[in-house]
Amino acid sequence: MKQLHFRHLVNFVLPEKRMKEIASSYDVVDGPNDEGEMFTRPGILVDAFPSPYPNEESARYANGGANPPDLSVYTTAKHEGLDYIFALLLGYRDPPAGIEVRDGLYYNVYFPGGLIGMPSPLHSDGLVDYEDGTPCTKSQMAKDVVNFLCWAAEPAHDERKLVGLKAMSALFCGTFVVGFWYRSMWIGFKTRRIDFTKAVM
Ligand code: HEM
């Protein structure tokens, strides 16, 4: 997830201190230093999520030639992205009779063409423990993954909408205030009649 940085998770997912610990547990390549060399340092909050693969070629090599996509903005970038990813995560089936699946491919009813290079990431129930005792089913995990990806695509979404709502409310109220002020200021002029006939003494 190239677009997401550790700092995005601060106070949304974990407190700052814990996120700093997690970030520093990753080695990040930085540089060049004064000697022109790249160097490795512990991650900090402003670093992007480290990629599991150093480059596209190694990602393809590790996944039988298929390139795992960057999921940072996938839910918004892809048409029906949320529903698609949810369905894809739960769409692994045994291939129907007559369909040959070569090594490194998996049959998924929701993937265009049916054969996908991604093994089922949520292959069985109970992969995580929910602290509140929620049953850890595949669909529950898929829902959480998709919700996370949706948030990750636009971390500032809620805040942006809230600011928009406040601005619209202020404009709405402002319209009435200005309208009232306008009428009260001009009422004397707008209802005045100026007559230019000669005054009769
Ligand atoms: C819950 C975690 C994951 C999610 C939500 C996820 C989601 C996705 C999505 C949405 C696609 C794109 C499908 C398309 O092109 O229409 C994809 C492709 C892919 N993913 Fe994952 N993925 C996850 C975990 C993994 C893991 C752990 C691996 C590696 C072992 C992996 C390897 C791949 C590969 C190789 C592709 C390309 C498939 C192809 O083009 O045939 N994914 N993934």
Side-chain angles (χ1 to χ4, degrees), residues 52-53 59-60 62-71 74-75 78 81 84-86 88-89 92 104-106 110-112 115-122 141-142 145-146 149:
Y53 310 105
R60 283 189 187 280
N63 289 288
N67 186 23
D70 177 11
L71 293 177
Y74 211 84
T75 50
K78 184 128 181 148
Y84 172 65
I85 298 178
F86 182 80
L88 193 76
L89 288 174
Y92 288 86
L105 289 183
Y106 307 85
Y110 293 103
F111 188 66
L115 298 176
I116 187 168
M118 167 171 75
S120 171
L122 309 177
M141 288 185 285
V145 168
V146 165
L149 291 176

Side-chain angles (χ1 to χ4, degrees), residues 70-189:
D70 177 11
L71 293 177
S72 310
V73 291
Y74 211 84
T75 50
T76 43
K78 184 128 181 148
H79 183 60
E80 303 288 352
L82 278 182
D83 292 342
Y84 172 65
I85 298 178
F86 182 80
L88 193 76
L89 288 174
L90 299 176
Y92 288 86
R93 304 275 188 280
D94 290 333
I99 297 227
E100 189 139 332
V101 181
R102 72 168 167 78
D103 268 2
L105 289 183
Y106 307 85
Y107 185 73
N108 188 312
V109 278
Y110 293 103
F111 188 66
L115 298 176
I116 187 168
M118 167 171 75
S120 171
L122 309 177
H123 44 79
S124 52
D125 293 342
L127 292 178
V128 289
D129 289 328
Y130 286 101
E131 281 176 11
D132 61 356
T134 305
C136 181
T137 57
K138 281 203 272 185
S139 55
Q140 179 65 50
M141 288 185 285
K143 183 179 164 223
D144 291 340
V145 168
V146 165
N147 270 333
F148 174 72
L149 291 176
C150 177
W151 170 80
E154 265 191 290
H157 175 276
D158 292 0
E159 205 182 323
R160 186 163 52 79
K161 293 276 161 142
L162 196 67
V163 170
L165 200 67
K166 283 180 184 167
M168 293 302 285
S169 314
L171 283 174
F172 187 71
C173 297
T175 307
F176 281 103
V177 172
V178 170
F180 185 77
W181 171 82
Y182 175 84
R183 284 185 71 89
S184 60
M185 281 296 287
W186 286 87
I187 191 97
F189 299 100

Side-chain angles (χ1 to χ4, degrees), residues 51-69:
S51 168
Y53 310 105
N55 48 50
E56 188 185 323
E57 283 68 24
S58 69
R60 283 189 187 280
Y61 183 71
N63 289 288
N67 186 23

